Structures are given as structure tokens and as C-alpha cells.
Amino acid sequence: MGLDTVELVMEIEERFGISLSDADAALIFTVGDLHRFIVEACKATGQQVTPDDAWTWLRDFLEHRYRIARDKITPDARIGPDLGLV
């Protein structure tokens, strides 16, 4: 896991109050995978985070923090190869 993805994981953990283990991270390949993880982890902790709210935050964060064009941030976009996060 590169520095960009470590920073992304830390931001997600802080923003949503969830933990993303190395084992969980190993199963996340796309933005959609990451979105589903956030929604499910929030549900498991009893948080009221809607899928739309999680998607909006994730898309906006990737766009502004890493300067990724909004149209490239799709559920099928691979986090490493397509978005350039390593």
C-alpha cells in the first residue's frame, strides 16, 4: 500500500469512525468496492450514513485531494491503475 492509499484509508477512518484493516484493504480494488465497504462498516457501527452521502464524500475527497477528474471517479474505476493512487 502506497502513501496515497494510506492517506486515503486514514481519512476514511477519521471521517466515518471506522477501521479498515489490511485484510479488508486487500479486497478493495475499485472505488465501488471502497464505497460498499464504507457503507457496510458504518451500518455495522450503527451510524446513519446513506450510500449517497458516502459516495458524495468519497468522490469529492478523491477529486479535491488527489486532483482526479470527477468523470474518472466511477464505481468501476480501479483505485491504483485508473486513478493513479499507489
Side-chain angles (χ1 to χ4, degrees):
M1 193 180 315
L3 182 57
D4 288 338
T5 52
V6 169
E7 288 177 349
L8 176 59
V9 167
M10 289 172 57
E11 286 289 335
I12 289 168
E13 289 177 335
E14 183 175 320
R15 166 63 178 88
F16 294 101
I18 58 177
S19 180
L20 199 155
S21 70
D22 289 343
D24 290 329
L27 301 173
I28 295 173
F29 300 101
T30 67
V31 176
D33 294 338
L34 184 54
H35 174 254
R36 280 186 292 283
F37 176 83
I38 292 169
V39 171
E40 292 303 316
C42 287
K43 274 187 201 175
T45 63
Q47 295 183 61
Q48 299 295 321
V49 175
T50 68
D52 286 344
D53 289 342
W55 177 257
T56 299
W57 180 88
L58 182 57
R59 184 196 59 215
D60 290 349
F61 181 80
L62 291 170
E63 180 182 15
H64 297 291
R65 177 66 165 261
Y66 299 107
R67 301 192 190 286
I68 299 168
R70 184 176 283 245
D71 65 330
K72 295 207 180 289
I73 304 168
T74 65
D76 294 332
R78 293 170 297 162
I79 292 171
D82 295 340
L83 301 183
L85 300 178
V86 291

